[in-house]
Every structure is written in structure tokens, then in C-alpha cells.
Amino acid sequence: MKRKVLWLLVAAFGLVIGIRAAFPSSVAFAESETTDMLSSTKDWVFQQNAGFAGFNDEREIEIIGVGENGGGGINSAVYTKRKYGSGKISFDFQLDFGPGVSKDDYQAGSEWLVSCFFGVLFMQNIEVKSPSASIGIPWDVPGGYPYMLCFDTETSGGEANRVKQLGLTLRRYKYGGSHDFTRWSTVEPTEETFVNSAGNEYESKIPDFYVPVTTDKIWDGNKHSVVLEWGNLSVENGDEKEAVKIEAWYDDVKVLTVIDEMPFKGESFGEEIDVDKRDKNGYIAVFAHHDKTSLSLENYGYKIRISAFTIEPGKDNEENGGNAPQPEEDASDKGCGCGGFVGFDGAICSVLLLLCASSIALVRVRKGGHRE
């Protein structure tokens, strides 16, 4: 009897090893899956000043832009479930204009141009351990040089070329926060230095590839689709440069490629440092800044509605990014506690333990049901 039980255990162990070989890692399997970022409201935290930021009844992220002359409405939504080092984000957006608000005031060349921008931040705030809504504000939280793919009517210092570069833009904010950034515009880009409204200098660069996405293609009240993809380049892997590569599509047309070479010069606590954005993963956030509108919600500027928001994780998500599950999900992520297995491994571990327990019971019980 004991010999039969031994062979049963050997066969069970062989089955487990075979299954593990066929499905080597539940984590690796999950990497290839697309995540619906709007499937759970608890995966997001929001910050709202004047205006609104949150989920609406259609399970869209909704942000109402409201500000004041000389100030600004700052609203953000941060996806807290996980950090990403690379990936492919897809989403749709639509702008609904408030009563009495003309979309013409958001068009380049308008006499009453409203200064505002909104977009998606990624690879940001890499030093933040516990995400909060405040990390959606790039100039308030140090430690990450966040990138932002943004839709922009902000003229900053008012330089002649800067006023022309309104529309789809990629920004990379500086390490210590602040309003300083490097920007790549799809509209009449130049290689020069601008001065922002706070008197700080910032860089304008020409993208490696661009197709103009102008304000009339954004602030028109229609639904638009956006795809953003980013990942790492390495000479060791056969690439020509050490860089982060960022590409964007607008309404299914490729409109932007930026190859941002690494490392680049940054500053931390007054000391110049080399920064390599490929070292860490970062959180994803939706951000909106709006100026020069009424503080009354009955006369706000516009409402951003973001839907169909998904991410497909890339291959460059390092261990230091990790998962950041919500507290109520911790227990389910721990599996059976056997060797730290989770998910599929946890199920295998449970089956193996069940087989072991059953086999021990068979050894200890005689055919007639009496213990030996």
C-alpha cells in the first residue's frame, strides 16, 4: 500500500512540474495582457481644486476645468494599482463645453485664447512609494522627471515661436518639480530656449518625427482616440542609442516620435546629476490645468471625458516598479503561502498539498477503516 502511495506522490509531483513548465510564470503571463484601467474606481485617487475630478455614471474619468485669472484650476487622477517602466496606453477623450463657452476661445490665434493644458503623465515620480493624488501635479512632487503627453494652449512667456506651438506636445518635467521642462511640439517645433510665466527657462526641441495636431483638431467637441507607446532603447540590445523612445497616434494616425537620449543632466538638492529614465518604473496620471475662467461651475470652461482607457504592459517593467495592490487585495495575492507562490502557482501549490494530505491519510488507514 505504501509503495502505491509513493508512486502516487511521484506522479502528482511530475504532473505539477509539467504544468509549471507549460505555464512558467503567472507574472510573465499577466505582462502580455491588456488592463482596463477604468474597471475599478478604487484603483484611482483624485485631486480637485475648483472644478471636479472623478468617475461619472458612465464609468468615464471626468474632469471639469475651472480656474481664475492669475490662478488656475488643477485637477488630477492617479492610477495607483501599479507602476510601469514601459507600455502602450490607449484612450478616447471628448470635450464638452460649458454654457456660454465658445470652443473658438481654445483655438490658436483667438483674441480671447484660454491658457490651459491636459494630458497623461507616465514614467513619473519614481521615488514615490505610496501614491496619492498629489503626484498628479508634476511641479509639486520631486523625484521622477515625469513625461506628459499633453494638449496645450499655454503660451507661457509669450515668445513669438512659443505662441505658434499650440496643440499636441510631449513634456518632460525636471527632477525637483517646478515649472521647468523640456518640450517637443508637433506644431512648428524649434530648437531654442523659452521663458515660462514664472521666469524660468525651459527647452524647446524638435521631435524625431511629427505630424501637426493643432488646436482645431482637439478643442472641437468631437471624440478622439489616442495611443501612446513608450519603451527603452539600449546599445547592448542592438539599438543605435541609449534612450527612451516615445511614440503617439492621434485618431489612428502616427503623429509623434521622440527618442530621448539617456542619461541627461538633472539637478538634485542643488547638485548636477545624471538621470536615466530607464532605471525605474512610474505611475500613470491624468492631469488638467485650466486658467482664466469663472469659478462658477455653471460657467466652467470645458469638461474632459476619458473613456476606453487601457494599458498593455511593455517588456521594460523592472522589478523595482512591482505591483501596488490595494489593501483589500493583499490576501488574495498571497496564494497558499507555499514558497511565495501566487495566482496560478498558488493553485498548483494547493493541489499538491491536497494530494499529500490525502496520501498520508491512505497510509494511516487500513482497508477495514482501522488505524495501524
Side-chain angles (χ1 to χ4, degrees):
M1 180 64 181
K2 291 183 179 179
R3 186 180 298 274
K4 291 181 178 179
V5 171
L6 178 61
W7 282 112
L8 176 62
L9 285 173
V10 171
F13 184 74
L15 176 62
V16 169
I17 294 300
I19 294 173
R20 288 281 292 130
F23 301 94
S25 171
S26 60
V27 174
F29 179 75
E31 283 291 340
S32 64
E33 293 183 342
T34 298
T35 299
D36 179 1
M37 300 172 71
L38 302 181
S39 63
S40 176
T41 58
K42 66 181 175 57
D43 292 337
W44 292 83
V45 291
F46 297 91
Q47 171 165 300
Q48 58 186 40
N49 293 309
F52 173 79
F55 276 86
N56 61 22
D57 293 339
E58 284 74 42
R59 199 174 282 275
E60 301 171 323
I61 288 179
E62 187 174 291
I63 297 177
I64 295 176
V66 182
E68 60 180 335
N69 236 346
I74 299 172
N75 300 282
S76 62
V78 181
Y79 186 69
T80 65
K81 190 165 187 179
R82 185 178 175 184
K83 292 181 178 181
Y84 295 91
S86 64
K88 184 176 182 178
I89 295 174
S90 302
F91 65 92
D92 296 336
F93 78 87
Q94 187 167 358
L95 304 180
D96 296 339
F97 294 90
V101 176
S102 172
K103 62 178 180 290
D104 294 337
D105 292 341
Y106 296 87
Q107 308 300 323
S110 169
E111 182 182 358
W112 307 104
L113 180 68
V114 178
S115 179
C116 65
F117 57 91
F118 68 92
V120 175
L121 293 107
F122 58 103
M123 289 282 285
Q124 62 141 359
N125 301 313
I126 54 181
E127 292 182 352
V128 176
K129 304 302 180 184
S130 300
S132 65
S134 64
I135 72 173
I137 301 179
W139 51 78
D140 280 0
V141 180
Y145 288 91
Y147 289 106
M148 181 201 288
L149 185 72
C150 72
F151 305 93
D152 181 14
T153 67
E154 189 180 52
T155 57
S156 289
E159 298 95 333
N161 284 334
R162 177 66 182 91
V163 174
K164 299 175 184 177
Q165 296 175 2
L166 306 184
L168 178 63
T169 300
L170 177 71
R171 297 186 182 191
R172 185 190 69 208
Y173 285 85
K174 290 193 174 181
Y175 187 87
S178 86
H179 291 68
D180 305 340
F181 50 81
T182 299
R183 65 189 308 275
W184 295 263
S185 178
T186 64
V187 182
E188 299 194 34
T190 56
E191 293 278 349
E192 61 180 300
T193 299
F194 294 134
V195 178
N196 64 23
S197 56
N200 300 318
E201 293 185 346
Y202 66 96
E203 297 177 295
S204 170
K205 291 188 175 183
I206 299 175
D208 295 84
F209 169 83
Y210 64 95
V211 172
V213 180
T214 51
T215 54
D216 60 305
K217 298 177 182 178
I218 300 168
W219 280 269
D220 59 2
N222 298 323
K223 179 177 284 190
H224 298 283
S225 65
V226 179
V227 175
L228 165 67
E229 188 168 7
W230 79 101
N232 298 336
L233 301 182
S234 171
V235 173
E236 184 178 349
N237 293 334
D239 300 309
E240 292 185 2
K241 296 180 179 180
E242 303 285 340
V244 174
K245 184 178 182 180
I246 301 165
E247 296 187 287
W249 291 257
Y250 191 76
D251 289 341
D252 299 322
V253 176
K254 186 176 180 179
V255 294
L256 179 68
T257 299
V258 170
I259 298 177
D260 192 14
E261 294 192 46
M262 300 289 144
F264 57 91
K265 296 297 181 182
E267 185 178 288
S268 179
F269 299 105
E271 298 293 330
E272 188 174 75
I273 58 173
D274 285 334
V275 180
D276 194 327
K277 286 288 290 181
R278 299 171 299 172
D279 288 344
K280 299 279 185 79
N281 302 344
Y283 290 103
I284 292 168
V286 179
F287 174 84
H289 176 273
H290 202 279
D291 201 5
K292 300 180 180 177
T293 60
S294 169
L295 280 174
S296 168
L297 290 181
E298 296 178 356
N299 190 30
Y300 61 82
Y302 58 83
K303 175 168 58 182
I304 307 166
R305 291 164 41 207
I306 295 179
S307 57
F309 201 172
T310 64
I311 182 168
E312 181 180 335
K315 64 180 181 179
D316 301 314
N317 295 303
E318 301 296 336
E319 291 183 2
N320 55 41
N323 290 327
Q326 302 303 306
E328 60 267 31
E329 295 177 339
D330 285 349
S332 63
D333 283 343
K334 290 179 181 178
C336 68
C338 177
F341 288 159
V342 295
F344 191 77
D345 287 340
I348 294 173
C349 183
S350 298
V351 171
L352 183 56
L353 288 176
L354 180 60
L355 285 171
C356 290
S358 301
S359 301
I360 292 171
L362 285 172
V363 171
R364 295 181 59 85
V365 178
R366 292 179 178 177
K367 291 182 179 180
H370 300 287
R371 295 187 181 275
E372 292 182 338

